[in-house]
Amino acid sequence: MLSGKWNKLKRLTNVCLASALAFGGMLPLIPGPTAYAANASDLFFSEYVEGSSNNKAVEIFNGTDHEIDLSNYTVELYSNGASTATNTFNFTAGTAIASGDVFVIVNSSSGAALKAKKNAESSVTNFNGDDTLLLKKNGVVIDTIGQLGFDPGTKWADSGVETVDKTLVRKSSVVTGDNQPEDSFNPSLEWVAFPIDTFSNLGTHTMDGFTAPAVAGVTANPAAGAGSGGHRGLTSDGNRWRQRLL
């Protein structure tokens, strides 16, 4: 009698186990958290202004997870297809960009509205739509606007995105600069165009996946642009560009 009951119990257990395994195999997999791009590995150009008269500017973004000292960086202008620099901007000693911050260089003859956005003035912004800009670190190109050694005539243009009479903002999906200056340049691939003399985006930049570095004892203020770039702060000497966390 006991043997028969035991066999029935074993068969019932096996049926239940088989059913559980079969049902479990039908369960959908639950996806893990979305993986975002890592922070940038270095600086890159985030905005370009080629406006009316001398309203010209270029913005550099630090999408890395740390502050960057600018001592080893330069911005160079190559005019009309030149292969040697026409103008070079060297950062003032002690200048740095905090993680998530930007540095804006404007033309010294630009209007008041554009000058209000500046961190520095330089003749490196004496560009027109057919000139090339290079961002270098220790003499090595890390980003390019235009094409070195090539004059496109009046501008580079595609699908309404062009380098003359426009403000260009780097797409948020871009996380690294163009370190191949002699390659052909199509501005529509990495830039979004805005009407002439649009300055409202200068001073902040959004990059997909950017994560601000954690600071002990500090709570980020979303209104200040935490997590997408845009913290700004200038020390009293007017040179060192650092993130202020008050």
Side-chain angles (χ1 to χ4, degrees):
M1 177 70 75
L2 290 176
S3 177
K5 288 183 177 180
W6 176 247
N7 290 333
K8 288 182 180 179
L9 180 59
K10 285 170 57 178
R11 286 196 297 271
L12 179 60
T13 301
N14 290 337
V15 170
C16 292
L17 179 60
S19 298
L21 290 174
F23 178 73
M26 297 172 61
L27 291 175
L29 294 176
I30 300 174
T34 302
Y36 291 100
N39 286 357
S41 60
D42 214 327
L43 305 177
F44 59 83
F45 290 124
S46 50
E47 191 158 349
Y48 164 95
V49 176
E50 208 289 322
S52 61
S53 187
N54 291 304
N55 283 335
K56 302 174 192 294
V58 64
E59 178 186 270
I60 298 166
F61 174 62
N62 178 7
T64 73
D65 61 359
H66 57 278
E67 180 182 87
I68 292 182
D69 187 314
L70 297 175
S71 302
N72 299 320
Y73 292 82
T74 58
V75 179
E76 298 178 358
L77 171 66
Y78 295 75
S79 299
N80 304 318
S83 296
T84 56
T86 309
N87 283 292
T88 299
F89 176 74
N90 296 289
F91 293 89
T92 303
T95 305
I97 309 181
S99 172
D101 222 335
V102 298
F103 192 97
V104 180
I105 306 169
V106 305
N107 191 288
S108 60
S109 299
S110 59
L114 183 52
K115 279 192 174 184
K117 302 282 189 174
K118 74 173 183 178
N119 298 121
E121 298 178 5
S122 173
S123 57
V124 80
T125 58
N126 290 343
F127 51 75
N128 295 305
D130 61 345
D131 301 325
T132 297
L133 287 166
L134 300 183
L135 176 61
K136 291 184 176 182
K137 178 182 181 181
N138 294 319
V140 178
V141 177
I142 59 173
D143 200 9
T144 310
I145 300 175
Q147 182 180 351
L148 185 63
F150 176 74
D151 188 342
T154 57
K155 61 186 177 182
W156 284 275
D158 184 71
S159 304
V161 182
E162 51 194 55
T163 54
V164 68
D165 293 341
K166 296 286 186 182
T167 290
L168 302 182
V169 175
R170 209 72 175 262
K171 293 180 179 180
S172 62
S173 58
V174 175
V175 298
T176 189
D178 175 8
N179 62 3
Q180 301 297 317
E182 296 178 345
D183 284 358
S184 60
F185 178 64
N186 181 343
S188 70
L189 297 180
E190 294 192 352
W191 299 83
V192 178
F194 291 84
I196 189 172
D197 291 337
T198 298
F199 311 139
S200 56
N201 295 303
L202 280 169
T204 185
H205 183 65
T206 297
M207 185 186 80
D208 295 345
F210 173 75
T211 302
V215 180
V218 175
T219 302
N221 176 10
S228 61
H231 292 92
R232 296 174 62 87
L234 192 62
T235 57
S236 58
D237 62 8
N239 290 326
R240 199 163 182 81
W241 189 243
R242 292 185 180 277
Q243 189 174 21
R244 292 291 193 177
L245 296 172
L246 304 175

